[in-house]
């Protein structure tokens, strides 16, 4: 458990930093966010109390010390009170996020798992077949690794939606009356998820391919792989001997990759007008909806930390050396 | 496969088991190929411990790996044949064998123990898995239960208790790991076990214990061993016959006793002086001056001549053939022995008068006396 | 990677830290490796640099000028090789004008971020102890925090006008992009710190700063170069993403803003591929050139990674002869003139 405990402490520290960043940014950056909100809400009359609440939220026109504000901010966060979303009719930020979160979690979660598994398998194959035509896959992989997610999204839409008409180009589902647990609704949701998921998989699998291939190539030099071959094991089993070890660095590299994948995925959502957090994020910026922006930053960071924790557990499960120490 | 499992000590000793003829191995192809093994002839007999000695870099591992087709790229076999004699009397040329045929004979006929026990075991798999997966691959009808029993039995043979089955390599000491490797190598009762520097990474005490266990096991099960080491003094204690390699070539091959008491090649003589004998009085270590040649730019004539203190004028131009000399099937590649009259006294000591290889009465005891008689 | 680009840093992390070979002196660190990857990468990058410099000058038209009143983009033709936008502007001219800001911002961001990562990484690795703990923690926190939301919250509060300033954009990008380099450099410094020549410098009483400047940093050159390239790559992707979101100065063209305007009128659902494919490919190929250079350096540091296809001379040994198969050494009977 020692490894996990250490990682947990690190995630706690990261969460504290994220919350502090949330608190500090409006207070450090010059300008008056409340005025910006009021300017944006032109016409709408806001009650004195609402404005006072905004003042307090952003530390404007207040006499309380920064520290007291900070403590207060923490109190709010811990109670799940992330303020109200000015661009969504003053609904609680937590409510707005709660509606969008499952879409993002589902899309990005599934796409990331598919991409990891697929990329890792291809990486193993390319490494095993080193010196064959498969090596030519690597420059192509580099291209996909360098292409922006949203550009791949454009291509996917142009090809599969506009030209071929196979799949819808945007939204999360048809305008059906309400989400229902019937096949029409579910298949419709899946239909809408295919292209964004494909985009995320294509854009992010390249990284897994290259990292797996590189580690695998080094691992295949290990004596235990030679011994596996000497034992007359089936070729698949010999590959497994190497791959089982080579996947470990990919899993520990997961924490670095997931932040980038999430960023790319959010942009993908924007292209597809997918009803997830990415769309909320752009709208929050363009509508000066600061509370929503802060809440989204916090939630996305926490989600990434949770994904990291899962990767840690998987790692501990897969590596007996850490498992015993843990 | 089952016939390999029932074979045991009752096998007749002495006839050829693995014959290597004219084996040449390169690293790389074309003009910049490194000729790591050149024209090696070697025969391993049933039940024999054949030692392969030589400085590191002389091509011992390359030879063993190539003969089993396990050599990694850029290694390429460029000539020769490797004939494996089955119990049934049939013969297979390993260099002509396809993937499937190789997979079947691996481990069931020829198994392997390599130097670094730490790296030879897969760090993320349990000992049990690594012991049983060869069984599962070669004896498909063996039940899970009996595979486990066999694993326990194998561990017992090398003195490791059954509760280590669930352990992972990092939980075992270096000596235990090497014992596990040996147990693993015997899982399918192969006729041949190739051991490449099996004890080099271990401390002297552990090294001794493991060698003794190994010889016991050999006596119980009668497998033949190709024992590779740079440590000639160790070979003299356990090997029946010894082949000495230099720059990828065999330079001398003889019975262990003959080679030890009456070396015929200057390089063998140098090697004998490079290590203190494990038993017996200490002799000054003079070793061999200079360093092994660059295989890309081999010296002309006898490849050993730049380092040879007996070198003759012709040695720089003519390569000596590996030819029989004296009695007992000894072969030497040195002009001093062709004809033998030209040899200096160090290289012309009287032969101990043994056959090239005869089954040792008590391998262990005899080895000790050999060492003891060093003075 | 990054916001947009798609280079997962796991790649670098898996191979880079701790794999720098013993660079006994400093001469090795300076030798430029010549592998096909490096050459192809350099040539591609040179093309982009030239476009950045002279692109706006050789553009056939003013990228802002509308040629007609129609709002339907025209496909490629003799007059407009890459067609027109919905505002009837020339796509080729926009493409040629769009490289400058992208490269410039990415370069500035790369310089700032690399400077930060060298300072923080080397300090942490060299000093060790508490300083190391705190700085490493900081770097790890920045690594694990998703960059896009952080960028968006920064730009959100900075307001759109601030994002018009390229220098501010570069600064913001470098704030989110220094941590990876710092982490790798820390690991390398740590392994260099205990080398003999560093010890002996310490023994003869050289100051820490002198040792860092003369013994440590010169030996880190390949790693610094690789982390610089990586940050520029990150900068290209991030700048394009920010421009795609419409947060940069609309007065100068960039490939990201071309994508922004094409998305505004749904070019991708209307089949106007000539509008968004050129800028997208430009970004992707610019990124590819940087990534190839980066891999070239990685392979220089760790030669085992070389593939037979795009790799250098090490595989000349086996090139084009036979396929080697693991566990079944090739037998190629060849008379090599045995003795
Ligand atoms: N991959 C390789 N490429 C080129 N030369 C190699 C390679 N591996 C080994 N060699 C060379 O082959 C020779 C024999 O090596 P090896 O069989 O390992 O010797 P030993 O086992 O006797 O120490 C050495 O001189 C070594 O330099
Ligand atoms: S042939 Fe000549 S050089 Fe070679 S070992 Fe014999 S005496 Fe020495
Ligand atoms: Mg060896």
């Amino acid at each position: 458990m020692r490894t996990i405990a250490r990682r947990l402490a690190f995630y706690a520290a990261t969460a504290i930093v994220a919350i502090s960043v949330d608190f500090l940014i409006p207070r450090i950056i010059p300008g008056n966010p409340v005025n910006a909100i009021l300017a944006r809400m032109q016409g709408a009359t806001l009650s004195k109390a609402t404005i006072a609440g905004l003042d307090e939220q952003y530390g404007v026109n207040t006499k309380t010390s920064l520290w007291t504000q900070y403590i207060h901010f923490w109190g709010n966060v811990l109670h799940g009170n992330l303020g109200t979303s000015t661009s969504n009719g003053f609904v609680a930020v937590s409510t707005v996020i709660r509606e969008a979160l499952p879409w993002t979690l589902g899309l990005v979660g599934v796409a990331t798992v598919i991409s990891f598994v697929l990329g890792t398998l291809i990486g193993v194959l390319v490494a095993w077949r080193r010196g064959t035509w498969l090596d030519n896959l690597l420059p192509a992989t580099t291209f996909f690794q360098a292409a922006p997610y949203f550009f791949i999204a454009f291509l996917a839409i142009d090809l599969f939606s506009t030209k071929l008409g196979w799949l819808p180009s945007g939204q999360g589902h048809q305008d059906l009356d309400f989400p229902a647990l019937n096949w029409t609704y579910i298949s419709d949701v899946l239909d809408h998820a295919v292209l964004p998921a494909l985009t995320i998989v294509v854009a992010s699998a390249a990284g897994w391919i290259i990292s797996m291939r590189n580690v695998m190539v080094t691992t295949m030099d290990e004596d235990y792989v030679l011994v596996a071959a000497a034992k007359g094991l089936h070729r698949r089993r010999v590959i497994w001997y190497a791959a089982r070890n080579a996947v470990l660095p990919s899993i520990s590299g997961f924490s670095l990759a997931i932040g980038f994948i999430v960023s790319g995925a959010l942009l993908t959502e924007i292209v597809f007008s997918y009803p997830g957090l990415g769309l909320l994020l752009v709208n929050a910026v363009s509508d000066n909806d600061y509370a929503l922006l802060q809440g989204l930053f916090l939630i996305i960071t926490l989600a990434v930390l949770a994904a990291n924790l899962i990767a840690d557990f998987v790692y501990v499960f897969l590596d007996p050396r850490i498992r015993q120490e843990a | 496969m089952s016939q390999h499992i029932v074979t045991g000590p009752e096998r007749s000793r002495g006839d050829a088991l693995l014959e290597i003829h004219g084996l040449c191995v390169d690293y790389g192809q074309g003009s910049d190929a490194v000729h790591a093994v050149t024209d090696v002839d070697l025969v391993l007999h049933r039940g024999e411990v054949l030692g392969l000695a030589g400085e590191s870099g002389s091509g011992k591992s390359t030879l063993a790996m190539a003969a089993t087709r396990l050599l990694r790229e850029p290694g390429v076999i460029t000539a020769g044949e490797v004939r494996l004699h089955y119990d049934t009397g049939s013969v297979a040329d390993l260099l002509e064998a396809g993937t499937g045929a190789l997979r079947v004979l691996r481990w069931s006929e020829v198994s392997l123990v390599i130097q670094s026990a730490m790296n030879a075991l897969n760090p993320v798999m349990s000992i049990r898995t690594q012991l049983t997966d060869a069984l599962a691959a070669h004896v498909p009808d063996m039940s899970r239960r009996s595979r486990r029993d066999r694993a326990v039995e194998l561990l017992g043979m090398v003195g490791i208790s059954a509760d280590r089955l669930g352990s992972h390599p990092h939980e075992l000491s270096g000596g235990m790991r090497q014992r596990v490797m040996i147990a693993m190598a015997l899982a399918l009762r192969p006729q041949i076990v190739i051991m490449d520097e099996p004890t080099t990474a271990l401390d002297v005490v552990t090294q001794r214990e493991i060698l003794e266990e190994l010889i016991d096991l050999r006596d119980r099960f009668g497998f033949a061993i190709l024992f590779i080491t740079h440590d000639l003094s160790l070979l003299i204690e356990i090997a029946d016959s010894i082949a000495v390699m230099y720059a990828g070539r065999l330079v001398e091959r003889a019975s262990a006793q003959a080679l030890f008491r009456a070396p015929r090649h200057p390089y063998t003589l140098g090697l004998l002086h490079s290590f203190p004998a494990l038993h017996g009085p200490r002799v000054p270590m003079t070793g061999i001056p200079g360093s092994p040649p660059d295989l890309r730019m081999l010296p002309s004539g006898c490849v050993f001549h730049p380092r040879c203190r007996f070198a003759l004028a012709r040695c720089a131009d003519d390569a000596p053939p590996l030819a029989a000399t004296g009695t007992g099937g000894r072969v030497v590649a040195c002009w001093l022995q062709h004809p033998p009259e030209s040899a200096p006294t160090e290289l012309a000591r009287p032969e101990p008068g043994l056959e090239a290889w005869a089954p040792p009465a008590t391998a262990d005891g005899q080895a000790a006396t050999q060492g003891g008689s060093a003075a | 990677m990054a916001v947009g680009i798609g280079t997962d840093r796991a790649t670098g992390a898996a191979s880079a830290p701790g794999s720098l070979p013993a660079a006994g002196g400093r001469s090795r660190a300076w030798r430029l490796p010549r592998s096909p990857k490096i050459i192809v990468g350099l040539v591609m990058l040179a093309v982009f640099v030239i476009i950045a410099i002279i692109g706006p000058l050789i553009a056939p038209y003013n990228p802002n000028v509308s040629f007609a009143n129609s709002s339907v983009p025209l496909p490629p033709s003799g007059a407009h090789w890459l067609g027109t936008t919905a505002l009837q502007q020339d796509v080729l001219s926009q493409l040629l004008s769009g490289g400058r800001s992208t490269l410039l911002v990415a370069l500035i961001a790369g310089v700032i971020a690399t400077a930060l990562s060298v300072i923080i990484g080397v300090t942490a690795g060299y000093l060790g102890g508490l300083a190391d703990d705190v700085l490493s923690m900081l770097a790890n926190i920045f690594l694990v925090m998703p960059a896009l939301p952080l960028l968006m919250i920064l730009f959100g509060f900075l307001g759109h006008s601030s994002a018009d300033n390229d220098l501010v954009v570069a600064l913001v990008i470098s704030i989110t992009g220094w941590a990876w380099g710092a982490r790798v450099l820390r690991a390398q410094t740590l392994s260099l710190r205990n080398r003999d020549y560093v010890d002996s410098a310490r023994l003869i009483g050289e100051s820490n700063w002198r040792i860092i400047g003369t013994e440590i940093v010169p030996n880190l050159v390949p790693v610094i170069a690789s982390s610089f390239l990586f940050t520029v790559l990150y900068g290209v992707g991030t700048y394009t993403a920010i421009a795609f979101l419409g947060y940069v100065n609309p007065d100068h063209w960039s490939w990201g803003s071309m994508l922004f305007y094409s998305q505004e009128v749904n070019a991708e659902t209307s089949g106007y591929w000539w509008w968004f494919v050129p800028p997208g490919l430009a970004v992707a190929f610019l990124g590819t050139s940087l990534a190839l250079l980066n891999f070239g350096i990685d392979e220089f540091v760790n030669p085992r990674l070389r593939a037979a296809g795009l790799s250098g001379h090490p595989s000349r040994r086996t090139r084009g002869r036979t396929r080697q198969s693991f566990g079944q050494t090739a037998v190629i009977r060849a008379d090599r003139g045995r003795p």
Side-chain angles (χ1 to χ4, degrees), chain B:
Chain B
M1 225 92 5
S2 52
Q3 85 261 27
H4 304 309
I5 289 176
V6 293
T7 53
E10 73 279 8
R11 276 185 299 201
S12 71
R13 288 176 164 187
D15 39 316
L17 195 52
L18 189 72
E19 291 178 85
I20 299 173
H21 287 302
L23 188 65
C24 292
V25 186
D26 287 1
Y27 284 104
Q29 288 171 261
S31 55
D32 49 356
V34 174
H35 303 314
V37 170
T38 303
D39 210 11
V40 166
D41 286 311
L42 206 60
V43 180
L44 176 66
H45 299 96
R46 220 168 268 284
E48 175 188 30
V49 179
L50 171 61
L52 190 57
E55 286 165 294
S56 79
S58 55
K60 307 179 297 290
S61 304
T62 307
L63 170 63
M65 291 298 136
T68 47
R69 301 284 298 281
L70 284 168
L71 190 68
R72 297 175 189 270
E73 58 163 359
V76 182
I77 299 164
T78 55
E81 54 180 31
V82 177
R83 292 154 64 81
L84 175 73
H85 296 260
Y86 288 91
D87 277 345
T88 55
S90 59
V91 182
D93 186 344
L94 298 191
L95 302 194
E96 304 295 333
T99 325
L102 282 174
R103 189 158 61 222
V104 169
L105 67 86
R106 281 190 176 141
W107 223 250
S108 60
E109 297 293 330
V110 186
S111 65
L112 182 68
V113 176
I114 52 180
Q115 174 172 350
S116 54
M118 183 63 210
N119 300 328
L121 292 172
N122 193 328
V124 298
M125 292 185 180
S126 71
I127 300 302
R128 171 177 177 171
T129 308
Q130 298 188 61
L131 278 170
T132 53
D133 63 359
L135 297 172
H138 288 272
V139 197
D141 49 350
M142 204 169 172
S143 73
R144 211 182 126 76
R145 173 87 220 163
S146 50
R147 286 201 301 264
R148 184 193 172 277
D149 292 345
R150 175 72 178 143
V152 171
E153 182 189 351
L154 287 166
L155 284 185
M157 275 158 44
V158 293
I160 296 180
S161 70
D163 56 12
R164 286 298 193 173
L165 267 187
S167 301
H168 287 84
H170 71 277
E171 298 168 278
L172 307 180
S173 69
M176 276 169 104
R177 266 181 244 140
Q178 197 58 295
R179 286 189 168 92
V180 170
M181 268 311 291
I182 292 173
M184 201 192 285
L186 302 180
L188 294 163
R189 307 203 178 178
Q191 304 188 71
I192 303 170
V193 181
I194 295 176
M195 308 201 138
D196 189 354
E197 313 259 9
T199 58
T200 305
L202 305 173
D203 64 90
V204 186
V205 177
T206 316
Q207 186 172 339
R208 265 245 78 79
E209 287 169 9
I210 289 187
L211 285 178
E212 274 161 21
E213 283 172 23
L214 189 61
I215 294 303
D216 279 352
L217 289 168
R218 200 282 305 257
D219 290 343
R220 271 172 69 194
F221 299 106
F223 49 88
I225 303 179
L226 177 61
F227 197 105
I228 299 172
T229 177
H230 63 283
D231 183 347
L232 191 51
S233 63
L234 186 151
L235 276 187
I236 282 156
E237 303 210 17
I238 62 162
D240 302 310
S241 45
I242 296 176
V244 178
M245 274 186 98
Y246 182 76
R249 290 133 226 263
L250 282 194
V251 294
E252 182 166 9
R253 201 179 66 227
S255 75
Q257 294 241 30
L259 191 107
F260 177 61
R261 298 224 199 127
R264 289 287 183 263
H265 194 281
Y267 181 65
T268 312
L269 184 70
L271 275 189
L272 284 169
H273 289 270
S274 300
F275 296 94
L278 284 184
H279 294 290
R282 288 173 188 278
V283 283
M285 285 173 50
T286 47
I288 307 160
S291 51
D294 179 351
L295 293 176
R296 279 171 220 271
M297 288 180 295
L298 282 174
S300 59
C302 170
V303 286
F304 187 57
H305 87 261
R307 300 172 73 189
C308 181
R309 59 188 166 114
F310 305 102
L312 310 167
R314 69 183 305 192
C315 297
D317 302 320
D318 299 342
L322 184 70
T325 183
T327 53
R330 183 201 296 254
V331 289
V332 183
C334 175
W335 289 123
L336 296 172
Q337 307 294 346
H338 306 301
E341 292 75 45
S342 56
T345 46
E346 295 105 306
L347 297 173
R349 292 184 198 133
E351 297 261 359
L354 286 174
E355 289 296 299
W357 181 80
T362 55
D364 212 22
Q366 187 177 350
T369 29
Q370 277 173 8
S373 60

Side-chain angles (χ1 to χ4, degrees), chain A residues 130-133 135, chain B residues 29-30 73, chain C residues 308-309 312-324 332:
Chain A
R130 185 161 173 261
T132 67
W133 63 273
D135 281 348
Chain B
Q29 288 171 261
E73 58 163 359
Chain C
H313 45 85
S315 50
R316 197 169 42 194
R317 311 186 209 111
T318 50
R319 185 173 50 202
R321 298 294 178 85
T322 39
R323 240 206 77 225
Q324 294 273 13
I332 303 163

Side-chain angles (χ1 to χ4, degrees), chain C residues 120 124 128-141 178 186:
Chain C
I120 295 178
L130 186 68
D132 183 18
D133 289 345
V134 171
L135 292 176
S136 300
M137 175 93 130
L138 192 70
N140 285 335
I141 286 175
W178 61 273
R186 172 194 167 268

Side-chain angles (χ1 to χ4, degrees), chain C residues 103-339:
Chain C
L103 262 172
L104 199 68
V105 173
L107 206 67
I108 299 174
V111 170
I112 301 175
T114 307
L116 275 175
S117 58
V118 171
I119 293 170
I120 295 178
V122 173
T123 311
Y126 189 80
L127 294 183
L130 186 68
D132 183 18
D133 289 345
V134 171
L135 292 176
S136 300
M137 175 93 130
L138 192 70
N140 285 335
I141 286 175
F142 267 90
L143 271 178
V144 83
M145 252 197 267
L148 185 75
L150 184 59
L151 285 168
M152 294 192 66
I153 199 172
L154 282 169
F155 281 118
F157 280 101
L158 280 168
H160 292 214
S161 57
S162 67
D164 294 352
N165 185 335
D166 282 343
L167 202 63
V168 174
V169 175
L171 202 70
V172 170
I173 293 176
S174 58
I175 287 176
T176 57
W178 61 273
W180 180 78
R183 200 168 124 133
V184 176
L185 284 164
R186 172 194 167 268
Q188 291 302 334
T189 308
L190 212 59
S191 80
L192 285 174
R193 191 176 62 170
N194 301 319
R195 299 263 165 90
D196 292 346
Y197 53 91
V198 177
D199 280 344
S200 52
R202 224 182 269 136
L203 274 180
I204 53 176
E206 299 233 24
S207 76
N208 277 350
W209 292 118
R210 228 190 114 72
I211 296 175
I212 289 180
T214 61
E215 306 291 347
I216 304 258
V217 172
N219 275 307
L220 290 175
V221 166
V223 185
I224 294 176
S226 142
S227 100
F228 173 71
L229 286 176
F230 206 101
T231 329
V232 174
L233 180 62
Y234 171 76
V236 170
T238 309
Y239 180 71
T240 305
I242 295 168
F244 169 69
L245 292 171
Y247 302 153
V248 299
N249 191 340
D251 288 348
H252 52 222
W253 284 99
S254 77
W255 298 325
S257 50
M258 288 175 74
L259 292 167
F260 168 68
Y261 288 117
S262 73
Q263 147 103 354
E264 290 267 276
V265 299
N266 296 323
E268 76 281 11
T269 51
S270 317
Y272 307 145
W273 54 268
W274 58 87
W275 189 357
F276 60 83
V277 168
L281 285 183
V283 175
F285 280 120
L286 174 57
T288 305
S289 74
L290 292 163
L292 282 177
L293 282 176
N294 210 1
F295 291 153
I297 294 178
D298 271 358
E299 290 182 355
F300 166 71
V301 168
N302 179 5
R304 271 303 287 171
L305 298 181
R306 290 175 189 141
L310 246 190
S311 61
H313 45 85
S315 50
R316 197 169 42 194
R317 311 186 209 111
T318 50
R319 185 173 50 202
R321 298 294 178 85
T322 39
R323 240 206 77 225
Q324 294 273 13
S325 150
F326 180 72
Q328 193 181 18
T329 313
V331 180
I332 303 163
R333 312 242 174 222
D335 184 28
R336 66 180 196 208
R338 284 189 250 150

Side-chain angles (χ1 to χ4, degrees), chain A residues 165-207:
Chain A
W166 289 353
L167 291 157
S169 66
Q171 314 294 330
H173 57 101
Q174 288 270 306
D175 260 344
L176 299 175
D177 286 347
F178 47 82
L181 274 180
N182 59 45
W183 179 240
T184 331
Y185 181 77
I186 292 172
S187 74
D188 182 54
V189 166
L190 289 179
D191 249 17
H192 282 81
V194 170
L195 274 189
L198 182 77
T199 301
I200 298 171
V201 169
V202 167
S204 60

